[in-house]
Amino acid sequence: KMFTDQRGIQSALGAALQVAEKLLHPIGGRITVLQSTLPNYGPGALKMKETSTSALKKDQLSTSASTDFYKKIALECSAQQIAVDLFVFSNPTQFIDLATISTVAKYSSGQIHYYPDFHHTKEIPTKRVERDLKRYLTRNIGFESVMRIRCTEGLSLHTFHGNFFVRSTDLLSLPNVNPDHGYCMNLAIDESLKDYSMVCFQAALLYTSYRGERRIRVHSLCLPVS
């Protein structure tokens, strides 16, 4: 109730992220952001884009980022093993510039939870938020993770998709990893596979469990060549 009479509409998300990164700098971890308005004050301040109401109703991720400020913060967080997770609340007439602020989660291996038609009086969106937060706070989580994927000679993997930072050609940096994360990549056939009856793929994930145990998980997959 302490914010009942608060009418301020300024949001200093950039400054809050900078402070949180400095606090977690020595130990790593994760930052959880709940955002319901356009960040319009201090470092990383954004401006309203001139767009129609109909355009706002579309997925706000369809536009390009208007600044690289949040990407730079994400890379700083990733270097210190910090992930940033976003819970973004909006409505069809409210512009938050999700395309820009989402980069802080994308490049730090965080997650984006987007609620485009949220209001606390609406039962379905409210229950969805409650369910997502419960899952978010109780699921297993790994820290200081890296993942590498290899495949049979003659094949190559490129153009990785997901929330991470590519540290080298095939090494993905994942400050946080959890069972809900998913990653995709493009597969190219560079050489003839006529001499192979099977092709193999292997993904290795090195991470620290929430108990502080350093572990490695390996998944291997063999597929027949037709």
Side-chain angles (χ1 to χ4, degrees):
K1 295 182 179 180
M2 62 185 296
F3 299 109
T4 301
D5 298 325
Q6 177 60 259
R7 295 293 181 267
I9 58 174
Q10 293 180 328
S11 172
L13 175 61
L17 288 171
Q18 288 177 329
V19 171
E21 189 275 331
K22 291 184 182 299
L23 290 173
L24 290 175
H25 185 97
I27 58 174
R30 71 179 179 186
I31 300 170
T32 305
V33 176
L34 283 79
Q35 187 75 13
S36 62
T37 187
L38 182 73
N40 57 4
Y41 187 79
L46 303 175
K47 296 181 179 180
M48 286 289 295
K49 293 182 179 179
E50 294 183 3
T51 184
S52 63
T53 301
S54 60
L56 283 173
K57 293 180 180 180
K58 298 180 180 179
D59 187 354
Q60 296 194 61
L61 279 172
S62 62
T63 59
S64 59
S66 57
T67 175
D68 63 353
F69 175 85
Y70 293 95
K71 179 180 179 179
K72 289 180 178 178
I73 288 184
L75 297 181
E76 292 174 3
C77 287
S78 180
Q80 303 305 322
Q81 303 298 334
I82 303 169
V84 182
D85 297 313
L86 295 177
F87 288 80
V88 181
F89 306 86
S90 182
N91 61 65
T93 61
Q94 183 179 15
F95 181 71
I96 296 184
D97 201 352
L98 186 57
T100 299
I101 66 174
S102 64
T103 56
V104 75
K106 176 176 176 60
Y107 294 101
S108 68
S109 83
Q111 284 192 299
I112 304 166
H113 299 265
Y114 180 45
Y115 309 95
D117 192 25
F118 179 82
H119 194 279
H120 71 278
T121 60
K122 296 183 178 180
E123 183 178 3
I124 294 179
T126 302
K127 286 188 175 181
R128 180 189 167 200
V129 173
E130 181 181 353
R131 182 179 66 251
D132 290 349
L133 280 172
K134 182 178 180 180
R135 171 68 177 168
Y136 177 75
L137 295 171
T138 58
R139 68 191 175 193
N140 288 329
I141 186 172
F143 302 95
E144 300 179 7
S145 313
V146 290
M147 182 169 68
R148 172 168 279 147
I149 305 174
R150 295 184 174 93
C151 58
T152 298
E153 185 178 356
L155 302 176
S156 63
L157 299 172
H158 60 91
T159 317
F160 294 86
H161 304 277
N163 289 2
F164 50 77
F165 174 65
V166 182
R167 188 178 297 177
S168 62
T169 306
D170 61 348
L171 187 67
L172 309 184
S173 177
L174 308 167
N176 283 184
V177 66
N178 64 70
D180 298 328
H181 274 172
Y183 310 98
C184 297
M185 63 288 301
N186 292 352
L187 172 67
I189 301 176
D190 301 322
E191 301 175 10
S192 174
L193 301 176
K194 63 181 181 179
D195 296 330
Y196 294 91
S197 60
M198 305 283 290
V199 292
C200 301
F201 302 89
Q202 187 176 78
L205 176 70
L206 178 66
Y207 69 100
T208 301
S209 72
Y210 67 92
R211 293 189 177 95
E213 301 168 341
R214 197 64 174 160
R215 298 178 179 178
I216 185 169
R217 172 167 284 188
V218 179
H219 291 276
S220 299
L221 174 67
C222 293
L223 297 174
V225 177
S226 59

